[in-house]
Structure formats: structure tokens, C-alpha cells
Amino acid sequence: MNKLLLNWLSTGPASQQLISFDHHDIMTGSLFCAQVAHLHAQLIQSDAQRWLLAAKHSDLFAAGLCATLLAGKQVILPANTQRGTLSELNHEFDAIIADTPLCEVREYIALKKELSLPAATWPKTKLLGELVLFTSGSSGQPKAIKKTLQQLDAEVSILEQTFAEHLPHCSVVSTVSHQHIYGLLFKILWPLAASRAFLSEQIDFPETLSYYLAIMPNLCLISSPAQLTRLPDALENQKQQRIPSLIFSSGGPLNFDAAQAVKQCFNQLPIEIFGSTETGGIGYRRQQQPMQPWQAFTQVNVDMDPQDGALMLQSVYLDNPTQWLKCDDKIELLTDGKFRLLHRLDRIVKIEEKRLSLAQVEHLLQTHPFVSEAAVTVLEQPRTMLGAAVCLSELGQQTLKAEGKLAVNNALKNHLLSQFERITLPRRWRYPAHLPLNSQGKRTQSEIVALFSHD
């Protein structure tokens, strides 16, 4: 099971390995090999070293990824292909390999499905390339995160060791992008290395998921909190006749009520993965109960900083596997590699000249029986104050309907007074059905603030 990805990259797929599929087409190992060899031949003729990779369909993306890595090049993965994103990364790449010309550069290799290519052998190499992913840094500027094939191989191998027994002969479908580390690992690299076919298109609608569940017996669903939170309502909260073999969620902790709603529809709880682009996977859980602990992966050690309760991490996925990395998450450390996530430590603001943690305010709000989820942000108009966006529990919704918004506001303010001075409490309150999240399941500051743009 060790070096699962590296061994696969050294030999390539078997000719009959099913690489990918969609509603009208499949890609076999022999066709994929021909695609990769065709792209590889173009790449090794180029002096360009840093190649930005992007493609809508995952089969073309995978072919471009393998060819570029086997050519010993550096693969640049942007979070998206918006003009502003590419402009910010302008000095980070020399050439583009993509399904469409994205901007004016010196070199461009087109990713397209070539059905008439001659049979070819898998490219051999002594020096594999590396990946560079870009995430949002604390300053708001893109932050480059380098990943070696050895690090990605360790992650793929451990995922297979941890979950393979639950995935017999599964194919993989996904609602998340392969341009990010979660989708890259779970939809592309892990399935390739473990000979599991993946859906080449991204699932954007519940009807599409239902279609593939109806025609394929064993599917593994790769999704995120943003999508899983909405999925049960789209399925009218009805128990489904065809269900995935396994459901994964990552990008942030899934709300407990949402996890239970997914179980109501699919007769199973999602497996949540906790980690980041920088750290790789840290732990996993299924929410049998609120505040369910996380279990650290094999070869990942967790500890707690005695000063501020921060998560301390030692992992084979890091550049230095023996060094401890301090993270920005406050945890409660349990036994046998288990821990509870409490809140982030790095969101400190000043309200009326008093420092407080937005994460701590959110955490305390979420302990109130009226609240299922909360996001707190700083509002600058008409003056600096806090705004709280709260998704209400069933009890909270009943109280709101029976007693009105002022009664709910006051109940939550009184709850916050146990830890915060009145002058620092949120002045403005919103009660949306869902908190706005992007496609990676992350809260975006601008969309939370936008909830308060109208009175």
C-alpha cells in the first residue's frame, strides 16, 4: 500500500483500467496513456518550466497533470481562472497547458481529447515535477504552497489504508473542483492510483447526482459543507432508493444538523476530513453526536500548545515530518489521537478599544439552544460594530415566529454577556436560512457583510 501514487506514476495505467466516464463517453487506460504521451512529447521540447494548468473536465486535467509531472515541470494550480486571479499570478508561470487559451503568454499547449492518437508507451522519467497551489493568504494576496509528489503520495497511500475497505469497486463523482487540494486528491490522484474511475464532469445539480446513482451501483461522493447543507432540501428530505457507498466532505466542519439530514436521505453520515492546503489531511470523523471528536490520521501526531490551546501538528505531509507546526485552531486534546475543534485563534479585533476574538463570539453563540450556526463580522458603517448572522435551530425558529426578532436578539445578547462586555456585543443581527459559503465550503467575508447591507 506504500507509494501507491508514485508506483502508479512510474508504470502508468493498465490498458483496460477505466480512467473516467461521463453520460456519453469513457476513457480507458490505453487512450489516457496516448493522451499523456502526446502532451509529454510537447512539454519536453519546451524550455518553459512553470506551467499553469487548468481544465473544466477532470479527464483532460488529469492527462495534463500527469504529462507535466512526468516531464519534470512545475505545475501551477490557480484557485480559478478568473481574469483577476490570473493577473495576480502573472509572474508565477511561464506557459499554460489548458483546455482554452486563458491569457497572452509565450507558450500554450491545448488540452483536448484526441481520439485518433496512435498507441503509445507511458513516459518514463527519473525526475518528477512538483505542484504549486495558491490559497488566500492572511494579507489577502495569493499564497504559494508547494507540494512534492512524495507528500501527495503519502496522503494518497494513507487515504487508501484508512478507507479502502469501505470502497469496493467504487467510481467517484464530485461536486467540488479539482483545482483545489481536496478535489485534486480525492477526485483525481487517489482514484487514479487505486484504479477507481472518476466522473469527468463536476456535478452541479442534485438531479445529476440522482441520475448517476440510478445507473451506477457503487459511487463515492466527494462534496463540501456548502453543497451537503443544501442537498437534503433539494431532495425534499426524503430517503433515497439509490445511495452512495461513501460520502466525503471537506473545506470546513459540517453542521451537525446538516450531517443528520444527509443521513436521513442517504442512510449514512458523511466522513468529514479536516485539514488545509498547507497541512494536508489532519483528521476525520463521522458526527454521531454534537461536537464529535476528530481522529488524527495514521502518521499524523497532534498535541495542544499549553499557552493558548493551539493545535500542534507533526505530519508526514509536511516539509519537515519531525518538526512541530503550530496551527491557528484552538482544540481540546483527548486521548489516542482524538481532539475537538473549538475555534480559530487568529481573528482578533478591537470594538470600542477592547480586543476580542470573533471566533470566540461565534463559538459561544453556537452553544445556545436557539443557534445551529453563527458567523460574526466587523461592520464599518455607520460606525465600527459587530454584526451576527445566525442560522436558527428548530427551537430558535419557533421562538422567532412566536415572540419576534427582538426577543431572540435579547436572548442571544444575554447569553454572550457571560463572557463579553455589553459594549462589545453585536449591534446588528441577521437570521438567514444558510450562511453564504463558496464552492470550497469556506465563508467569504464579503458575503457575510453583504447580509447587513439592507435594514
Side-chain angles (χ1 to χ4, degrees), residues 79-80 136 175-176 180 224-227 230 250-252 435-445 447:
N80 57 58
S136 299
T175 66
V176 300
H180 301 269
S224 74
Q227 291 133 342
R230 294 168 173 78
S250 189
L435 293 180
L437 302 170
N438 65 16
S439 60
Q440 281 70 55
K442 306 287 188 183
R443 292 179 190 169
T444 58
Q445 179 73 8
E447 290 182 339

Side-chain angles (χ1 to χ4, degrees), residues 409-421:
N409 289 359
N410 288 337
L412 297 182
K413 286 179 182 179
N414 288 334
H415 184 64
L416 290 176
L417 284 172
S418 64
Q419 291 186 23
F420 300 96
E421 296 179 59

Side-chain angles (χ1 to χ4, degrees), residues 220-240:
C220 172
L221 173 61
I222 311 301
S223 195
S224 74
Q227 291 133 342
L228 290 178
T229 298
R230 294 168 173 78
L231 184 58
D233 284 346
L235 298 174
E236 298 181 340
N237 293 288
Q238 297 296 310
K239 188 172 183 178
Q240 303 298 295

Side-chain angles (χ1 to χ4, degrees), residues 18 22 33 67 136 166 218 223 236-237 242 316 331 344 361 436:
L18 180 57
D22 59 26
C33 185
S136 299
H166 304 291
N218 292 312
S223 195
E236 298 181 340
N237 293 288
R242 299 295 182 90
V316 291
I331 66 165
R344 297 281 292 180
V361 177

